[in-house]
Amino acid sequence: MELLCDLDSDVVSVFEAAFEEARRHRWIESEKCGRDLGESSFLDWYQNHWTIFVRYRHVEHLIGQRRWPEFGRRSFGVFHQAIVVDRLTCEIIDRYQAGDENLNIINWALDEGHDFDAVFECLEIINMNDARLDPRFKL
């Protein structure tokens, strides 16, 4: 994970990026069916991909790879500022991106015998609630 520059000119909204992904999804799925699927393909993308899409963008923000304004300037690159990114941190981030919630990760960590303080510190930095965004899109 390499910290990149925080350039305001490169800042795009998560909502704008999601809309572009939903448009790509519409095009791909429409091509597969041989007809334009219209609004239903947008709804399909938001129902099936929105949460994970936002979590991936949230992690990009936290590791300093790309700044997303919805997550705030203070949390940009916080992983490089606050803790050493080690194997445990990477595993927690992977589980978070895959859709696990705090309790799932805590239970996994306890089952695996990981240091609870380190797990808690990582989850505190991730702050999953920052990524609980409701989708906004125009059809």
Side-chain angles (χ1 to χ4, degrees):
M1 290 184 242
E2 185 176 311
L3 183 63
L4 300 178
C5 294
D6 177 14
L7 302 173
D8 285 336
S9 62
D10 196 30
V11 175
V12 176
S13 166
V14 167
F15 299 105
E16 292 170 19
F19 184 75
E20 288 304 313
E21 285 297 315
R23 280 186 39 201
R24 279 189 207 88
H25 176 75
R26 175 182 176 174
W27 185 82
I28 291 167
E29 295 304 312
S30 294
E31 285 290 312
K32 288 179 187 176
C33 291
R35 64 181 177 84
D36 184 8
L37 297 176
E39 292 181 11
S40 66
S41 59
F42 277 99
L43 295 174
D44 175 65
W45 187 89
Y46 279 95
Q47 288 173 344
N48 294 306
H49 304 286
W50 169 254
T51 301
I52 299 301
F53 178 84
V54 171
R55 284 182 176 213
Y56 270 80
R57 303 303 78 81
H58 189 219
V59 169
E60 288 176 347
H61 184 84
L62 294 173
I63 65 174
Q65 188 175 37
R66 183 165 187 175
R67 190 169 73 79
W68 296 94
E70 289 80 7
F71 306 127
R73 283 183 174 271
R74 289 196 339 216
S75 64
F76 179 74
V78 71
F79 268 111
H80 288 283
Q81 300 163 9
I83 63 173
V84 173
V85 179
D86 58 7
R87 186 169 163 253
L88 176 61
T89 302
C90 290
E91 286 185 53
I92 292 170
I93 288 171
D94 288 345
R95 290 178 170 280
Y96 168 63
Q97 287 179 314
D100 281 4
E101 295 292 331
N102 286 324
L103 186 56
N104 304 108
I105 293 171
I106 289 169
N107 285 332
W108 161 80
L110 291 173
D111 290 345
E112 295 292 318
H114 291 295
D115 175 28
F116 182 76
D117 290 336
V119 172
F120 183 77
E121 181 183 9
C122 185
L123 291 175
E124 197 171 39
I125 291 168
I126 290 173
N127 189 9
M128 290 183 192
N129 289 333
D130 276 357
R132 296 191 197 285
L133 305 174
D134 289 328
R136 298 183 303 204
F137 61 95
K138 298 178 238 169
L139 295 176

